[in-house]
């Protein structure tokens, strides 16, 4: 039996808050923060205040009942932290976001139109010390560098962008800090080992299973709605 979950109180003057994981990015000129989602529309980089775009390239404004696109978040930080434990999500940060615009509320979370990132929480440095800032990972996509949290010792001579300065790029009200509840990234492996691992994952079912599990968690909110509709169809007394 599912325990009854109290819905967060609606406050017209204060937007609802949710939690999610995302891949942190920095623009090529080092002036803007970006975030990539971990599921649908993972190639889209969003700013700290941004509108969702349809990951299926349909021309409509998310969220919609007939499309699974839009920003997703979970009500509980703990649920988002659990998702971030999966091997393929160890390069993510935990975001606390304000849910703006149109939103659909589901049992475990919300799907919504516009988000404002308020807190960016980083795991420890891969060495085990508290992270103090961000470093370029050496990976990225067109126009955006991927970031990882690091301590000053491991940064060595590489430029460590301290959390305060990093958060400042996101505009007023954005903060960044190390959060020891988060699963840390794996220590960087030699390049040859990396290549072997990614080929294995691409070709084998082992890599696919956790991916599907995470997709299922994110889409659970949508299934809740379908189940409700099916329940109504099956009940002749329901108008
Ligand atoms: Zn859509
Ligand atoms: Zn370190």
């Amino acid at each position: 039996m599912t325990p009854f979950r109290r819905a967060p109180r609606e406050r017209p003057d204060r937007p609802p808050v949710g939690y999610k994981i995302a891949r942190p990015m920095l623009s090529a000129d080092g002036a803007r923060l970006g975030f990539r989602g971990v599921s649908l529309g993972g190639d889209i980089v969003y700013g700290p205040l941004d509108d969702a775009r349809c990951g299926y390239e349909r021309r409509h404004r998310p969220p919609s009942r007939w499309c699974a696109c839009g920003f997703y978040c979970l009500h509980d930080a703990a649920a988002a932290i659990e998702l971030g434990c999966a091997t393929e999500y160890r390069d993510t940060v935990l975001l606390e976001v304000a849910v703006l615009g149109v939103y659909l509320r589901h049992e475990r979370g919300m799907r919504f139109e516009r988000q404002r990132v308020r807190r960016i929480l980083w795991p420890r440095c891969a060495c085990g010390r508290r992270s103090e800032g961000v470093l370029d990972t050496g990976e990225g996509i067109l126009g955006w560098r991927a970031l990882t949290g690091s301590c000053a010792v491991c940064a060595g001579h590489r430029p460590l962008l301290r959390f305060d300065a990093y958060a400042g790029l996101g505009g007023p009200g954005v903060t960044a800090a190390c959060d020891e509840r988060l699963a840390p990234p794996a220590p960087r492996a030699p390049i040859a080992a990396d290549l072997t691992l990614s080929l294995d994952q691409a070709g084998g079912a082992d890599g696919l299973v956790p991916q599907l599990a995470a997709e299922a968690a994110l889409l659970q909110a949508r299934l809740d709605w379908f189940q409700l509709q099916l329940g109504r169809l099956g009940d002749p007394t329901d108008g």
Side-chain angles (χ1 to χ4, degrees):
M1 197 177 122
T2 309
F4 176 72
R5 191 185 293 271
R6 188 166 57 93
R9 191 191 295 271
E10 303 285 352
R11 290 174 190 266
D13 58 329
R14 240 189 264 179
V17 168
Y19 300 88
K20 67 195 295 182
I21 58 172
R23 298 197 161 94
M25 314 293 287
L26 188 67
S27 62
D29 62 3
R32 284 175 299 136
L33 305 190
F35 301 94
R36 288 173 70 195
V38 296
S39 184
L40 307 164
D43 292 335
I44 303 175
V45 179
Y46 289 103
L49 172 64
D50 215 337
D51 292 314
R53 298 182 278 287
C54 181
Y56 296 106
E57 300 185 353
R58 294 179 183 148
R59 293 184 180 220
H60 76 104
R61 175 174 265 206
S64 164
R65 294 284 189 197
W66 49 264
C67 189
C69 67
F71 289 125
Y72 280 82
C73 69
L74 295 155
H75 297 311
D76 293 334
I81 291 170
E82 284 177 15
L83 198 55
C85 291
T87 305
E88 67 273 38
Y89 298 148
R90 290 296 179 102
D91 56 349
T92 61
V93 290
L94 176 67
L95 300 181
E96 179 189 285
V97 299
V99 172
L100 306 174
V102 176
Y103 64 87
L104 303 175
R105 186 184 283 283
H106 303 278
E107 187 189 345
R108 297 188 60 201
M110 286 175 275
R111 187 154 63 88
F112 55 102
E113 180 182 14
R114 168 173 262 218
Q115 81 176 8
R116 182 191 292 281
V117 173
R118 303 203 313 191
R119 294 204 305 165
I120 309 164
L121 296 171
W122 292 78
R124 286 170 175 268
C125 179
C127 76
R129 293 185 190 88
R130 289 182 66 84
S131 54
E132 300 169 66
V134 303
L135 284 180
D136 186 333
T137 64
E139 292 170 4
I141 61 172
L142 206 65
W144 296 91
R145 307 162 200 261
L147 299 177
T148 188
S150 176
C151 71
V153 176
C154 290
H157 293 293
R158 291 175 292 170
L160 181 73
L161 179 59
R162 298 265 173 184
F163 282 144
D164 282 354
Y166 163 79
L169 298 175
V174 178
T175 65
C178 179
D179 185 329
E180 299 189 1
R181 294 174 301 169
L182 306 183
R188 300 282 293 167
I191 286 177
D194 269 352
L195 190 65
T196 313
L197 187 66
S198 62
L199 285 173
D200 280 352
Q201 282 177 339
D206 286 354
L208 191 62
V209 173
Q211 174 72 27
L212 290 174
E215 292 264 351
L218 287 168
L219 291 172
Q220 182 62 46
R222 188 155 185 256
L223 289 172
D224 291 341
W225 181 78
F226 277 119
Q227 278 166 358
L228 183 68
Q229 301 305 308
L230 284 171
R232 286 196 177 139
L233 284 173
D235 181 357
T237 62
D238 187 23

